[in-house]
Amino acid sequence: MSLIALALFAQLAAPTRTLPVLSFPERGLDDSAAYLGYQTRLFRDARGNTVQIYLDARADRVVHLWADAEDESLGFTARSEGGRAANLQWNGDGARISATGRTRTVEHDLIAYNPRIDIGWFLLGSMRVERDLQYAGKQKSAFAEAPFKLPELDRMLAAFGSLSDAERRSQLAMLHAPSVDALRARLRPTVASSREGTTEVVRVSQPALDGLDTLVMELRTDPQRVAVIVQGDSVALRAKSGADVPFTVRITTSGKALTPLTRAEIFTPEFLAFVNRSRATGGATDASSAFALRGRRLERQVRGLELLVSHEKLMAGLPTYATYFGRDMLMTALMMRPVWRDEMNEFVIASVLRKLSPEGHVSHEEAMGGQAVREAASEYASLVDAWVRAGRPAAPDTLLSSARRVLRDVRRTRENYHMIDAEYQFPIIVARWLSDNRVSAARKRAFLLDKSDGGENRLTRLTREIALVARATAPYAANPLASNLISFAPRDSGRWASQSWRDSNVGYAGGRYAMDVNVVWAPHALESVGIILDALRALKLPVDASAGAPLGRYVREPQTISKAVETWRSASHHFEVSLTAAEVRQKVAARLAAMTDADRAYWTGALSRSHADTSGLTFLAIALDGSGRPIPVANSDVATRLFLGDNEGAHRTPDASARAAVLRDVRLFARQYPVGLLVDGVGPVVANDAYASPAVWRDFDRDRYHSPRVVWGRENNLFLIGVMNRMADAGAGSASYVSELRRAATDVLKNVESSGFHSELWSYEVRNGKVVPIRYGSGSDVQLWSTTDLVVQFQRARAGM
């Protein structure tokens, strides 16, 4: 769509004023100081799609996320005198939205409390690219260094130079470009000013690589109050009088929209009644009371989940991960079962099966819109490079034909299969759905035999996935050595890729065999394969026994899978670390000695108050190294084990050994840091590296995403739901056991609530001798699996906690 058409549509569509669906920080719920100059508002556009706008003073950045089918973003950097971040604030309490045909527009008002500001580093495209810009810190560079270049696109442009003139013209035509120069021009935004009546308009436009869509951002000012100077790729706004610069930001897209779901389509009537009662109770009391705050927080989380859910997908989080993530969706579905409608579980299962690889791998993440184009450019360049190395064979040539296919479908949504944990999570959600007596046998059969997602039915795809799980778990089931556990893939660096949820470079402390994959997910996945096979037999749905060993054997000899599950349930012994009290004191003292003076002083005092180092400690290591030795990082991954429950598949009261394992894991969570995981006023951190080597300490100091400096909302929710589940299945004669579980859950819950955060993750700082919770810089404001706090509150009310 042309820029003229976009502008015309924007003018024709009558705007409607709308208020934010959510705002962070919110008065009464959040500590604004903990957000460190960050503020955000989330709206719905005229088609119901989520639009998030954030002002980040620390990053010098204003970003507009359009969480639609393209995962679009429009951002800029604003600076005042001396290159300092401009003092930008909202100038009004809402936004204005409109839509005509494919075009959607949102506009809002800002004010800079500076007499002059400069705006640059315009970046319009994929939110993934915006994320990379900020990770690289480029938005803080001089405006003259713009635009932000993507090496994948530069490689593509260079690859065109390897083609003959005729072939180049043919391939460029697939991108609707007359020349390489015309294509290159699409890689940077254009900035131009004009006058529309009494409004000065700076229009920043960015076409898609194929020229079929365009993102537009306008900065609109009153020329009576503000002088505008366009300087190449940047803009200067100067107050003509006074000491502030008000302006309007208007964003426009012609990208594809999503179709949102309502809360009535997501949640059970029982849960919605609970939310309504909580809101009514809160409204009847003082606005600052615990009941009122709980009611407001519940409503905020319900709204947050609604912003992430559409008929097309469940998005992982806003603003950074507004795309499909298999792991996040599956974890959320498992945790949300008590409050979600049955249809949501079927939606999740269908989504996974639709994106399954030919080998049966579960998609970790989709790349769409600008990110899909970026990955296509890389693939195209690699194919052309390979064609050149092969001596430029004449057509028809497989490499060149493949390169043409990439260009013809340059926007195709691409799937990323490099994570492994979702492959073991998926059978669990399927098994629980198939075992649900509330869903009729006829409905289950119809769902599994459905072919609406392609030529093969869902049962065929499901068989492929559980066959993969059966193959991956077979070596250890046959010979339970550490070397037969499920391994991460090797990296070129000689280390191991982090292929489960702790997916930062140092998330598993360099380990090869992750505890969560091998101790938690693999045994439950294999048990779930058995449940699935039993359910399919009951439904009279055939499973191809020739699907490959060992699944074929499990089909023919159902009793063999039980033995394999029992073998896998013993895998925890490879990871167990036991320390005496003296060893705990020695290792914690060494870790404190390596901290900064302020941190060391605080944690030394905390230790003297808590006496947490007066007894020994046993925990499951975060991973095994390449030789099968435990890497002794205490960690929160046992929360998932508590949530799933070692005996849940058998529906029996836990025996003494199972209770001992539960108490071991619960005590780690509730024990004070720096011995255990619990930080007063913050919550349980996801790792404690005190028992590991100094090299691990340094890695976590450099990369804090999964370190002792962060608390993750999902881990808290898994722990709390898990402990409440273990209390419920404790059976008779368990008073002291249940009492200890209740105390631990209450203590963790109290400290999490004291932090003021219920988001994806948060951190803390030691200031003036105190620990202060703070927002983690790249954390999501609304995160799919963090909304599972709704289940915590629902079950908490039921348990009377």
Side-chain angles (χ1 to χ4, degrees):
M1 183 174 291
S2 70
L3 295 180
I4 295 174
L6 280 171
L8 179 61
F9 276 134
Q11 291 171 8
L12 290 175
T16 301
R17 184 174 177 275
T18 186
L19 293 174
V21 177
L22 292 176
S23 299
F24 297 89
E26 182 179 344
R27 181 174 297 177
L29 288 182
D30 305 308
D31 177 6
S32 60
Y35 278 72
L36 305 174
Y38 176 94
Q39 51 187 316
T40 187
R41 291 176 173 178
L42 296 97
F43 299 90
R44 286 198 184 274
D45 69 15
R47 297 285 184 250
N49 284 215
T50 302
V51 177
Q52 179 172 3
I53 307 165
Y54 70 77
L55 317 179
D56 190 344
R58 285 206 303 177
D60 296 357
R61 201 73 180 148
V62 177
V63 175
H64 307 74
L65 162 71
W66 226 313
D68 55 12
E70 308 289 338
D71 186 25
E72 300 170 312
S73 70
L74 307 92
F76 61 82
T77 295
R79 296 176 183 152
S80 64
E81 299 90 343
R84 294 183 297 273
N87 181 11
L88 287 176
Q89 300 295 329
W90 310 113
N91 193 17
D93 58 0
R96 297 168 294 283
I97 59 176
S98 59
T100 303
R102 288 177 55 202
T103 303
R104 291 166 285 138
T105 298
V106 176
E107 65 178 44
H108 64 102
D109 300 320
L110 295 175
I111 186 167
Y113 290 107
N114 308 97
R116 48 187 295 167
I117 63 170
D118 296 300
I119 299 177
W121 277 110
F122 293 106
L123 186 59
L124 286 67
S126 167
M127 186 63 198
R128 285 284 300 276
V129 180
E130 174 67 38
R131 184 179 75 185
D132 290 348
L133 172 86
Q134 294 193 38
Y135 282 175
K138 291 294 290 183
Q139 82 281 7
K140 291 180 176 279
S141 302
F143 290 159
E145 295 183 23
F148 184 54
K149 293 184 178 181
L150 298 178
E152 300 91 341
L153 297 180
D154 287 342
R155 286 183 61 217
M156 169 184 262
L157 293 178
F160 282 115
S162 302
L163 307 176
S164 68
D165 291 346
E167 182 65 27
R168 186 184 307 114
R169 284 193 299 271
S170 174
Q171 293 195 19
L172 286 171
M174 298 176 192
L175 298 176
H176 313 97
S179 66
V180 174
D181 286 342
L183 196 62
R184 182 178 288 107
R186 293 176 185 170
L187 302 187
R188 66 186 304 156
T190 60
V191 183
S193 63
S194 63
R195 183 69 66 91
E196 292 183 5
T198 59
T199 302
E200 185 75 22
V201 179
V202 175
R203 181 171 289 115
V204 184
S205 59
Q206 177 70 67
L209 185 72
D210 60 9
L212 295 181
D213 285 302
T214 303
L215 283 169
V216 174
M217 177 163 57
E218 296 177 350
L219 307 178
R220 306 173 70 86
T221 58
D222 178 355
Q224 299 292 321
R225 298 188 60 184
V226 179
V228 177
I229 307 167
V230 175
Q231 303 167 321
D233 288 344
S234 62
V235 180
L237 303 182
R238 304 289 186 258
K240 290 187 173 181
S241 62
D244 52 58
V245 176
F247 60 102
T248 295
V249 180
R250 175 186 288 179
I251 57 174
T252 303
T253 184
S254 57
K256 186 178 178 181
L258 299 173
T259 313
L261 290 174
T262 66
R263 64 182 61 188
E265 296 173 286
I266 301 168
F267 296 105
T268 64
E270 181 187 8
F271 175 74
L272 290 177
F274 162 71
V275 173
N276 290 335
R277 286 195 304 272
S278 299
R279 284 166 42 196
T281 303
T285 61
D286 179 75
S288 63
S289 72
F291 287 114
L293 294 177
R294 189 175 300 175
R296 287 174 61 191
R297 185 168 287 119
L298 280 170
E299 176 62 23
R300 179 161 82 171
Q301 290 177 336
V302 170
R303 291 186 181 192
L305 186 66
E306 286 180 298
L307 293 174
L308 296 171
V309 179
S310 69
H311 284 277
E312 292 81 4
K313 72 179 74 180
L314 304 184
M315 292 181 284
L318 306 170
T320 311
Y321 303 104
T323 55
Y324 166 101
F325 276 72
R327 168 199 302 145
D328 301 58
M329 182 180 70
L330 287 167
M331 286 293 301
T332 303
L334 282 168
M335 297 168 73
M336 287 287 203
R337 280 183 59 79
V339 302
W340 267 7
R341 298 177 65 92
D342 296 334
E343 293 85 351
M344 290 297 294
N345 295 308
E346 292 167 14
F347 174 87
V348 166
I349 295 168
S351 296
V352 171
L353 292 175
R354 184 171 60 251
K355 292 173 172 288
L356 208 65
S357 79
E359 301 78 22
H361 295 288
V362 172
S363 172
H364 167 64
E365 178 185 6
E366 66 181 4
M368 58 190 187
Q371 180 63 21
V373 170
R374 181 182 181 181
E375 294 183 12
S378 180
E379 182 183 5
Y380 171 84
S382 296
L383 288 166
V384 173
D385 289 348
W387 173 74
V388 171
R389 289 195 301 271
R392 291 182 168 88
D397 177 74
T398 302
L399 290 169
L400 206 55
S401 297
S402 297
R404 292 193 196 104
R405 280 195 296 272
V406 170
L407 290 187
R408 275 195 295 270
D409 201 9
V410 74
R411 291 203 192 192
R412 173 180 62 85
T413 298
R414 293 164 168 265
E415 307 299 336
N416 179 315
Y417 297 103
H418 68 263
M419 293 290 163
I420 63 174
D421 51 338
E423 285 155 12
Y424 304 96
Q425 294 160 2
F426 181 58
I428 302 172
I429 192 72
V430 174
R432 294 189 179 190
W433 174 73
L434 284 170
S435 303
D436 192 340
N437 294 327
R438 297 170 300 176
V439 183
S440 71
R443 181 166 150 190
K444 292 170 185 173
R445 276 195 295 269
F447 176 84
L448 290 171
L449 295 175
D450 186 276
K451 293 184 177 181
S452 60
D453 292 330
E456 56 186 4
N457 62 37
R458 290 176 180 144
L459 176 59
T460 301
R461 297 186 184 197
L462 173 61
T463 302
R464 195 158 68 238
E465 202 280 336
I466 62 175
L468 182 148
V469 171
R471 287 194 304 274
T473 53
Y476 188 83
N479 188 9
L481 301 174
S483 57
N484 285 331
L485 291 167
I486 297 165
S487 172
F488 287 155
R491 285 181 178 157
D492 293 340
S493 63
R495 303 185 75 177
W496 303 94
S498 297
Q499 292 180 285
S500 190
W501 85 273
R502 297 173 181 265
D503 51 5
S504 57
N505 287 333
V506 302
Y508 287 90
R512 176 177 183 178
Y513 306 100
M515 186 272 285
D516 66 323
V517 172
N518 288 283
V519 174
V520 182
W521 292 118
H524 280 278
L526 194 54
E527 179 184 50
S528 296
V529 169
I531 294 170
I532 291 168
L533 295 177
D534 289 344
L536 294 177
R537 276 189 286 269
L539 292 170
K540 296 182 171 54
L541 292 175
V543 176
D544 185 0
S546 64
L551 185 65
R553 184 184 177 203
Y554 294 154
V555 172
R556 293 187 298 271
E557 305 171 43
Q559 71 280 4
T560 59
I561 200 168
S562 298
K563 181 180 177 182
V565 170
E566 287 307 309
T567 300
W568 266 100
R569 287 206 180 281
S570 69
S572 61
H573 80 272
H574 298 292
F575 296 82
E576 190 164 290
V577 176
S578 292
L579 302 170
T580 65
E583 289 172 323
V584 167
R585 286 191 291 272
Q586 176 190 8
K587 292 179 180 295
V588 169
R591 184 65 183 99
L592 295 182
M595 292 182 177
T596 65
D597 291 345
D599 284 8
R600 182 170 56 255
Y602 176 80
W603 291 117
T604 300
L607 199 55
S608 67
R609 293 188 295 272
S610 69
H611 306 292
D613 60 350
T614 56
S615 60
L617 179 68
T618 300
F619 61 89
L620 298 182
I622 198 167
L624 308 182
D625 64 18
S627 300
R629 295 185 297 265
I631 300 174
V633 174
N635 61 90
S636 61
D637 290 353
V638 290
T640 306
R641 182 181 167 106
L642 289 168
F643 166 72
L644 292 173
D646 277 348
N647 299 282
E648 198 159 315
H651 299 288
R652 63 180 183 266
T653 301
D655 57 23
S657 63
R659 286 189 181 182
V662 167
L663 289 175
R664 175 200 63 207
D665 298 342
V666 167
R667 287 166 182 167
L668 176 66
F669 256 80
R671 197 160 175 178
Q672 297 292 320
Y673 187 81
V675 174
L677 300 180
L678 189 61
V679 176
D680 283 340
V682 178
V685 293
V686 296
N688 184 345
D689 59 10
Y691 312 107
S693 68
V696 172
W697 306 346
R698 290 189 292 271
D699 282 344
F700 277 132
D701 283 341
R702 284 191 296 267
D703 187 345
R704 296 185 170 186
Y705 197 49
H706 298 103
S707 76
R709 280 285 188 174
V710 292
V711 178
W712 279 72
R714 78 158 229 170
E715 297 295 271
N716 300 328
N717 297 342
L718 282 165
F719 174 82
L720 292 166
I721 297 169
V723 169
M724 287 187 277
N725 288 346
R726 303 291 71 78
M727 289 165 58
D729 67 17
S734 307
S736 62
Y737 170 74
V738 170
S739 177
E740 182 171 355
L741 296 186
R742 182 182 291 271
R743 284 196 306 273
T746 301
D747 204 15
V748 168
L749 189 60
K750 176 190 71 175
N751 284 287
V752 168
E753 293 190 338
S754 294
S755 76
F757 288 98
H758 291 267
S759 53
E760 180 189 18
L761 73 163
W762 56 96
S763 186
Y764 63 88
E765 291 179 351
V766 175
R767 296 183 196 159
N768 302 318
K770 296 181 180 179
V771 160
V772 180
I774 58 172
R775 181 181 183 275
Y776 189 85
S778 63
S780 295
D781 301 301
V782 179
Q783 216 282 343
L784 187 63
W785 61 26
S786 297
T787 62
T788 56
D789 182 59
L790 292 167
V791 182
V792 173
Q793 301 306 325
F794 184 57
Q795 294 192 183
R796 175 187 180 186
R798 283 178 158 184
M801 290 179 62

